[in-house]
Amino acid sequence: TANNAWYSAPVTYVVGSNLMKGYQNGKFGISDGIQRQDFLVMLSRFDGVDLSQYEYDCNMPDVGRNSYYEAAVNWGVQNGITTGYMNGKFGVGDMITREQIVTFLYRYAKYKNIDVENVTDTKAKAFPDYNKVTDFAETPIIWAIDKGVINGKSGYIAPQGNAQRCEIAQIMYNIFQKDIF
């Protein structure tokens, strides 16, 4: 990463904290997206949970048995961090959207018994694309914007946009700096 880029400190934080890793070629892939299952792997690292205790079968047909992500998805399902899609699948291989990330983080906060109720929707409703937030993500988006977990992207929430790795690093860095979890 470039030392003077806006994402330099966030990327340094997530790599140094072992939340995210670079690629085998030594690059971080700042503009790449991240898949849904990989975000749960990262969040389980953040939590420090012993995933060996999560052999619970989430009964989602696209979650591969003995895959690198199976225990993290099971952890997320068992603790209410994710419910998967309405079709019964988790969405393995799908790029995670900004509103999905915020929803996972909101549910993670609830799992950690962090108060998510004392928020105001003023900042969120000021974004020109607030009306594009999917119903399931509305409360998490309001929480995340009010608490400074996310600050928007070029003046927009971009709820269905795929989050780049540098943006996810920034989100986790914001959480660290604001001591949200």
Side-chain angles (χ1 to χ4, degrees):
T1 63
N3 288 337
N4 58 351
W6 66 265
Y7 52 78
S8 181
V11 168
T12 300
Y13 164 72
V14 296
V15 171
S17 300
N18 199 33
L19 299 180
M20 296 175 78
K21 299 176 181 180
Y23 296 126
Q24 288 182 349
N25 66 6
K27 297 188 186 259
F28 184 76
I30 56 163
S31 61
D32 293 349
I34 187 171
Q35 295 177 359
R36 287 170 50 89
Q37 72 275 8
D38 293 328
F39 186 78
L40 278 182
V41 169
M42 185 202 71
L43 193 56
S44 70
R45 286 182 191 146
F46 178 80
D47 190 64
V49 64
D50 176 8
L51 289 177
S52 67
Q53 62 184 319
Y54 286 93
E55 296 180 18
Y56 165 80
D57 185 1
C58 64
N59 292 319
M60 294 178 178
D62 60 334
V63 175
R65 293 300 261 164
N66 302 314
S67 59
Y68 72 90
Y69 57 82
E70 178 191 23
V73 173
N74 289 334
W75 166 77
V77 169
Q78 191 168 343
N79 291 293
I81 296 164
T82 182
T83 57
Y85 292 144
M86 293 188 68
N87 66 5
K89 293 183 178 181
F90 173 72
V92 171
D94 291 354
M95 300 309 268
I96 195 165
T97 66
R98 293 169 54 83
E99 67 183 4
Q100 289 170 354
I101 287 170
V102 167
T103 300
F104 285 0
L105 291 171
Y106 174 83
R107 291 175 181 162
Y108 177 78
K110 290 175 78 168
Y111 156 70
K112 297 303 274 185
N113 295 314
I114 293 167
D115 180 15
V116 294
E117 301 302 320
N118 295 321
V119 295
T120 177
D121 63 4
T122 308
K123 292 179 197 170
K125 287 186 173 180
F127 283 90
D129 61 343
Y130 175 77
N131 64 337
K132 291 185 169 48
V133 174
T134 308
D135 289 347
F136 76 84
E138 186 174 12
T139 300
I141 288 282
I142 290 168
W143 167 80
I145 291 172
D146 189 63
K147 295 297 183 187
V149 173
I150 62 170
N151 300 306
K153 180 177 182 172
S154 301
Y156 292 88
I157 298 170
Q160 287 87 37
N162 294 333
Q164 295 176 316
R165 287 172 53 91
C166 58
E167 293 169 338
I168 293 168
Q170 181 67 59
I171 289 168
M172 298 311 292
Y173 191 58
N174 291 347
I175 287 168
F176 166 72
Q177 285 191 310
K178 296 176 187 314
D179 196 27
I180 292 173
F181 302 136

